Amino acid sequence: MLQARRIKHCRRCGTPVEYRIPGDDNRERAVCGGCGEVHYENPLNVVGTVPAWGEQVLLCRRNIEPRFGLWTLPAGFMELGETVAAGAVRETEEESGAKVELLGLFTMLNVVRVGQVHLFYRARMLDTSLDPGPETIEARLFHEHEVPWDEIAFRTVRVTLRHYFDCRRGGHFPLHCGDIE
Amino acid sequence: MLQARRIKHCRRCGTPVEYRIPGDDNRERAVCGGCGEVHYENPLNVVGTVPAWGEQVLLCRRNIEPRFGLWTLPAGFMELGETVAAGAVRETEEESGAKVELLGLFTMLNVVRVGQVHLFYRARMLDTSLDPGPETIEARLFHEHEVPWDEIAFRTVRVTLRHYFDCRRGGHFPLHCGDIE
């Protein structure tokens, strides 16, 4: 969800903000009417993995909104204090319990409409033990022909999975950058 | 600069926040004592380019803090409403006036200490016309032996430039991911 226009009060002093272009800027920001604090709103990174075990990939069935009950690759918002890679590993473990080794950045997909950049690493599962967290109904391995394409939660996940299976046939995995309308 | 711990008031209702772990979460967030709004703070993307004209690269001398007077590749915070690539082109134009064509994502560097991910594209300058904006004292082209290595503003810029010149000798430009301590 776009976070723009959600700021009503100054985070520093609590005074109502107004949206205007600050003197040294060229776009509207939420500016505090009291202390003058300028509040910037910027895109967020969603980081995750394509966990593979041999020919299979790991998907998680979402236990939370949005897209409750649909299947996703493990992914979530990158947090302060971690790298993109560390966030991808953390989300994988939180959502599925899978232990993985990262192989390389595989997709970087802009979702401008919601102010997000989705970054997926390829990952090798170290074993098949799973322990889904509270955000996941179930986690399981899928062969390509088993993937529930009509029940994938997000377009970035579908695009990443398509590229993954295509690249695997070719045997190499360049970075794919793209935009989701 | 890390943005954590800077939220004192709720952006929705202005009530003071407290830092605690919400019931459905596993890390501290700024939670409103009034309306219950949870405020997330996440890393930001800094996006830019390595603009090249033949053997030369374009650097900009900073007219703003931090690192006033030092040299940088054109880059800045990614904004809502744009892709990583569009942000990189925009920053290049704003800071130097250079018109560029993007070639490929070249570096993704985590700067965990300040909660940032720096993403640089390689870019080809379409001509040598420059028109630096207010954030830039001067913009000019440098051959490798002319680069002012001791006056580079940011480590991500230095790392990106080093990789760039190294790769150019080898003739190919894979993505470099890395972490800046």
Side-chain angles (χ1 to χ4, degrees):
Chain A
M1 187 171 46
L2 256 182
Q3 295 195 311
R5 302 287 156 169
R6 289 181 57 203
I7 298 175
K8 292 195 165 64
H9 291 264
C10 176
R11 72 173 154 235
R12 193 161 74 174
C13 72
T15 303
V17 299
E18 58 173 0
Y19 275 84
R20 63 178 176 82
I21 302 176
D24 60 348
D25 208 332
N26 55 18
R27 63 181 66 203
E28 282 200 342
R29 313 285 181 187
V31 182
C32 178
C35 72
E37 175 95 347
V38 179
H39 303 75
Y40 298 93
E41 298 156 274
N42 302 87
L44 299 180
N45 292 334
V46 171
V47 297
T49 64
V50 186
W53 178 256
E55 297 282 299
Q56 299 171 286
V57 297
L58 182 68
L59 297 178
C60 300
R61 205 167 153 228
R62 287 172 65 80
N63 195 32
I64 51 171
E65 294 292 351
R67 318 293 167 81
F68 179 95
L70 299 185
W71 293 89
T72 186
L73 290 165
F77 288 106
M78 184 182 176
E79 299 279 4
L80 290 175
E82 69 187 9
T83 63
V84 174
V89 169
R90 175 185 54 74
E91 286 290 345
T92 303
E93 195 161 336
E94 283 180 6
E95 298 192 354
S96 71
K99 305 282 185 300
V100 296
E101 170 195 19
L102 296 189
L103 298 175
L105 186 64
F106 182 56
T107 55
M108 182 179 81
L109 301 167
N110 298 279
V111 195
V112 171
R113 189 176 42 80
V114 293
Q116 295 175 3
V117 181
H118 290 213
L119 298 139
F120 286 93
Y121 276 85
R122 284 191 303 124
R124 187 177 72 82
M125 292 172 65
L126 301 182
D127 56 49
T128 57
S129 64
L130 297 173
D131 180 19
E135 298 187 359
T136 303
I137 297 168
E138 62 175 315
R140 57 161 281 212
L141 291 164
F142 290 85
H143 286 281
E144 183 176 0
H145 70 272
E146 298 171 322
V147 170
W149 292 107
D150 296 336
E151 297 169 49
I152 299 295
F154 302 105
R155 286 180 60 192
T156 55
V157 170
R158 192 179 295 116
V159 166
T160 297
L161 285 170
R162 294 274 191 214
H163 283 312
Y164 179 77
F165 290 119
D166 285 350
C167 286
R168 205 175 56 183
R169 275 184 283 279
H172 76 123
F173 298 87
L175 174 69
H176 291 75
C177 296
D179 307 330
I180 304 291
E181 298 305 318
Chain B
M1 188 171 47
L2 256 183
Q3 294 195 310
R5 303 286 157 168
R6 289 181 58 205
I7 299 175
K8 293 195 165 66
H9 291 264
C10 176
R11 71 172 156 237
R12 193 161 75 175
C13 73
T15 302
V17 300
E18 58 173 359
Y19 276 83
R20 62 177 176 82
I21 302 175
D24 61 349
D25 206 333
N26 55 18
R27 64 180 68 202
E28 283 200 341
R29 313 286 182 186
V31 182
C32 178
C35 72
E37 174 95 346
V38 179
H39 303 76
Y40 298 92
E41 299 157 272
N42 302 87
L44 299 179
N45 291 333
V46 171
V47 297
T49 64
V50 186
W53 178 256
E55 296 283 299
Q56 297 171 287
V57 298
L58 183 68
L59 296 178
C60 300
R61 207 169 151 227
R62 287 173 65 81
N63 195 33
I64 51 171
E65 295 292 351
R67 317 294 165 85
F68 180 95
L70 299 185
W71 293 89
T72 186
L73 289 164
F77 287 106
M78 183 182 177
E79 298 278 3
L80 290 175
E82 68 187 9
T83 62
V84 174
V89 169
R90 176 184 54 72
E91 287 289 346
T92 304
E93 195 162 335
E94 284 180 5
E95 298 193 353
S96 71
K99 305 282 185 299
V100 296
E101 171 195 18
L102 295 190
L103 298 175
L105 185 64
F106 182 56
T107 55
M108 182 178 80
L109 301 167
N110 298 279
V111 195
V112 171
R113 188 175 43 82
V114 293
Q116 295 175 2
V117 182
H118 290 212
L119 297 139
F120 286 93
Y121 275 85
R122 283 190 306 124
R124 189 177 71 82
M125 291 172 66
L126 302 181
D127 56 49
T128 57
S129 64
L130 297 173
D131 180 19
E135 298 187 359
T136 303
I137 297 168
E138 62 174 315
R140 57 161 283 210
L141 291 163
F142 290 84
H143 286 282
E144 183 176 1
H145 70 273
E146 298 170 322
V147 170
W149 292 106
D150 294 336
E151 296 170 48
I152 298 296
F154 303 106
R155 286 181 59 192
T156 55
V157 170
R158 192 178 296 119
V159 166
T160 297
L161 285 170
R162 294 274 190 213
H163 283 312
Y164 179 77
F165 290 119
D166 286 349
C167 286
R168 204 173 58 183
R169 275 184 283 278
H172 77 122
F173 297 88
L175 174 69
H176 291 75
C177 296
D179 307 330
I180 305 290
E181 297 306 314

